[in-house]
Amino acid sequence: INKESDSRGALIVLEGLDRCGKTTQCSRLLSHLEELGHSVESWRFPDRNTGVGQMISSYLANKSHLDDHAIHLLFSANRWEKRSLMESKLRSKTTLIVDRYSFSGVAFSSAKGLDLEWCKAPEKGLLAPDLVLYLDISPEKAAERGGYGDERYEQLEFQKKVAQSYRTLCDSTWKIIDATRPVEDVEKQLKQIVMECVLTCQKGKPLSQLWE
Ligand code: TMP
């Protein structure tokens, strides 16, 4: 039985190492869904436009120093400041394609050695994605793609640790995609998985919360 009130947009998250191709795929998914007439927006975290986002941005550019716990909580706060907007978009049937979310938060901070459960705690109560698309690529291959910029985390040794942390977070909502395949192949695969998810949420699926 489809309760009209449960019909909503889908919360779809793309995750992966730096240079895995997330951002390209997010924009392709956005145009695909738009062309099909769906209401859809593309979001990203960190959202550098908010006050908290500007602090994060300056940290990532190595223009400021922050304790590892403090920056972790800022990344999390940056998601919390968008939570209610996120919920209202989804309830008003807009699908959100999100470039990075809590999984990045936990993977990157725990890669620095912070306790995994401590890292997850501030994310509890954020909306749980309907689908997490993990663009899988080895840290070495990602590094070969070039374009590692000057941002703080864009270093091979650190990315190796992040890849390991991601592995501990993977659950049944995740789909692991081989990101070493040609962009068009990846795109085709993602479109198919995403459409299925969008339709399920359209038919009606309750929203749930992360890690509770
Ligand atoms: P971006 O390159 O996708 O804008 O992300 C900036 C960096 O921030 C990237 O190296 C991943 C990292 N990050 C965290 O450490 N914690 C988080 O919660 C998020 C969303 C990103």
Side-chain angles (χ1 to χ4, degrees):
I1 306 160
N2 299 332
K3 278 186 284 162
E4 178 58 30
S5 58
D6 282 343
S7 173
R8 59 170 175 85
L11 179 55
I12 296 166
V13 169
L14 275 79
E15 286 283 359
L17 298 179
D18 289 293
R19 306 302 301 157
C20 70
K22 280 185 317 305
T23 307
T24 306
Q25 295 296 341
C26 280
S27 73
R28 293 189 179 202
L29 284 172
L30 176 76
S31 6
H32 180 63
L33 289 173
E34 277 173 346
E35 280 161 21
L36 293 174
H38 289 275
S39 166
V40 56
E41 285 181 18
S42 122
W43 284 27
R44 71 178 309 148
F45 291 106
D47 179 335
R48 303 187 191 217
N49 300 313
T50 69
V52 173
Q54 280 163 23
M55 291 174 72
I56 293 172
S57 191
S58 137
Y59 170 83
L60 288 171
N62 290 304
K63 288 184 184 143
S64 61
H65 177 77
L66 285 168
D67 173 81
D68 291 342
H69 302 80
I71 183 64
H72 181 77
L73 294 174
L74 288 180
F75 273 114
S76 184
N78 188 230
R79 284 182 279 280
W80 276 102
E81 58 187 349
K82 307 290 291 205
R83 189 199 182 285
S84 65
L85 183 62
M86 186 178 255
E87 180 166 346
S88 64
K89 293 278 180 190
L90 294 172
R91 291 201 189 280
S92 66
K93 304 190 191 351
T94 297
T95 284
L96 303 177
I97 307 286
V98 185
D99 189 341
R100 296 193 186 282
Y101 195 54
S102 303
F103 314 99
S104 282
V106 176
F108 280 75
S109 292
S110 68
K112 297 174 176 172
L114 300 192
D115 177 71
L116 186 74
E117 291 308 315
W118 187 90
C119 291
K120 285 167 100 169
E123 307 296 320
K124 292 181 186 179
L126 289 170
L127 295 174
D130 297 294
L131 176 65
V132 179
L133 297 162
Y134 183 76
L135 300 197
D136 193 25
I137 186 170
S138 73
E140 290 82 2
K141 280 220 172 114
E144 276 169 25
R145 288 187 169 178
Y148 267 175
D150 302 324
E151 283 209 331
R152 198 178 276 266
Y153 299 144
E154 298 179 330
Q155 292 167 21
L156 181 57
E157 286 313 306
F158 186 65
Q159 297 282 324
K160 286 185 189 168
K161 290 186 188 152
V162 174
Q164 275 184 326
S165 312
Y166 266 129
R167 242 166 255 142
T168 65
L169 295 174
C170 173
D171 67 21
S172 63
T173 57
W174 288 46
K175 292 269 190 292
I176 313 292
I177 311 294
D178 181 355
T180 62
R181 304 190 41 118
V183 184
E184 285 71 26
D185 290 6
V186 176
E187 180 181 352
K188 206 170 144 195
Q189 214 182 333
L190 293 183
K191 280 178 183 168
Q192 214 170 352
I193 303 171
V194 161
M195 280 318 300
E196 231 174 87
C197 176
V198 167
L199 294 176
T200 304
C201 294
Q202 211 166 49
K203 281 188 198 145
K205 180 181 171 204
L207 275 172
S208 62
Q209 299 187 352
L210 214 45
W211 295 324
E212 285 197 317

